[in-house]
């Protein structure tokens, strides 16, 4: 069940960051579902926590990089009711999908692919408001259950030996 975005129904946003889903970790372009455009994406992961330590020969404490805590980003999204219905069905199923956040093409050098952050997550979708232009504004909350991978272009499967 692919989600279709009508060209006339695509929200006009200042930042054309695209969010895709797929049931494949290493998808081809045709395996992706463009689920929305967004003007703002909060941090997908937080920095590592500081681990503080002190030894008997030190005057004070020092820090080193510790573990990262899980984050639950909430992304404001704009789309039509058909797109909402598809995403709500996925959210209600509690299914984990792979998410791909593709940065705008103008953020990379000529001849390069834009940065893509990918991860596995479950999601929740909560209503927000109706915006000017008759688009639905919802909040997409992601419950990441994998680390975030950064690649230029879509991630490629590791070469098998």
């Amino acid at each position: 069940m692919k989600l279709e975005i009508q060209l006339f129904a695509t929200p006009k946003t200042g930042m054309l960051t695209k969010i895709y889903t797929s049931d494949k970790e290493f998808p081809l372009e045709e395996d992706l579902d463009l689920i929305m455009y967004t003007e703002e994406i909060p941090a997908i992961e937080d920095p590592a926590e500081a681990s503080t330590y002190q030894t008997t020969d030190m005057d004070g404490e020092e820090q080193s990089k510790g573990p990262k805590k899980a984050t639950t980003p909430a992304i404001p999204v704009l789309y039509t009711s058909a797109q909402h219905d598809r995403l709500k069905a996925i959210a209600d199923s509690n299914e984990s999908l792979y998410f791909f956040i593709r940065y705008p093409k103008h953020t990379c050098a000529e001849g390069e692919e834009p940065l893509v952050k990918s991860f596995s997550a479950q999601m929740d979708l909560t209503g927000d408001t109706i915006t000017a232009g008759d688009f639905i504004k919802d909040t997409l909350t992601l419950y990441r259950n994998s680390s975030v991978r950064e690649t230029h272009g879509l991630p490629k499967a590791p070469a098998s030996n």
Side-chain angles (χ1 to χ4, degrees):
M1 179 160 67
K2 289 286 248 187
L3 180 65
E4 299 291 328
I5 290 186
Q6 304 289 328
L7 286 179
F8 64 87
T10 302
K12 303 293 185 231
T13 62
M15 182 175 164
L16 297 177
T17 299
K18 299 174 185 176
I19 301 176
Y20 300 87
T21 61
S22 178
D23 57 355
K24 297 179 180 179
E25 183 177 5
F26 303 105
L28 301 173
E29 197 70 38
E30 59 267 14
D31 298 325
L32 296 175
D33 282 332
L34 175 62
I35 59 170
M36 69 203 71
Y37 290 94
T38 183
E39 292 182 299
E40 174 184 334
I41 298 178
I44 300 300
E45 59 184 339
D46 285 337
E49 298 228 335
S51 292
T52 305
Y53 60 91
Q54 183 177 11
T55 62
T56 56
D57 62 341
M58 299 170 100
D59 289 342
E61 292 182 338
E62 293 188 9
Q63 292 183 334
S64 64
K65 189 174 168 179
K68 289 185 178 187
K69 285 199 170 185
T71 58
T72 309
I75 304 171
V77 292
L78 301 170
Y79 46 54
T80 62
S81 64
Q83 292 163 309
H84 167 84
D85 294 346
R86 167 77 171 118
L87 287 175
K88 187 68 173 157
I90 295 169
D92 291 347
S93 76
N94 291 327
E95 176 185 356
S96 285
L97 290 174
Y98 291 98
F99 285 81
F100 302 87
I101 299 173
R102 184 179 284 169
Y103 285 52
K105 183 74 174 159
H106 69 269
T107 61
C108 61
E110 192 170 325
E112 289 184 354
E113 289 291 319
L115 183 65
V116 174
K117 290 189 177 185
S118 59
F119 52 90
S120 175
Q122 291 179 312
M123 68 179 203
D124 202 2
L125 196 64
T126 52
D128 196 341
T129 58
I130 301 293
T131 66
D134 297 327
F135 286 104
I136 298 169
K137 181 178 181 185
D138 281 347
T139 300
L140 176 71
T141 304
L142 299 176
Y143 304 93
R144 253 188 338 104
N145 50 30
S146 76
S147 60
V148 176
R149 175 185 296 150
E150 287 188 11
T151 56
H152 288 276
L154 291 174
K156 307 276 190 269
S160 54
N161 294 334

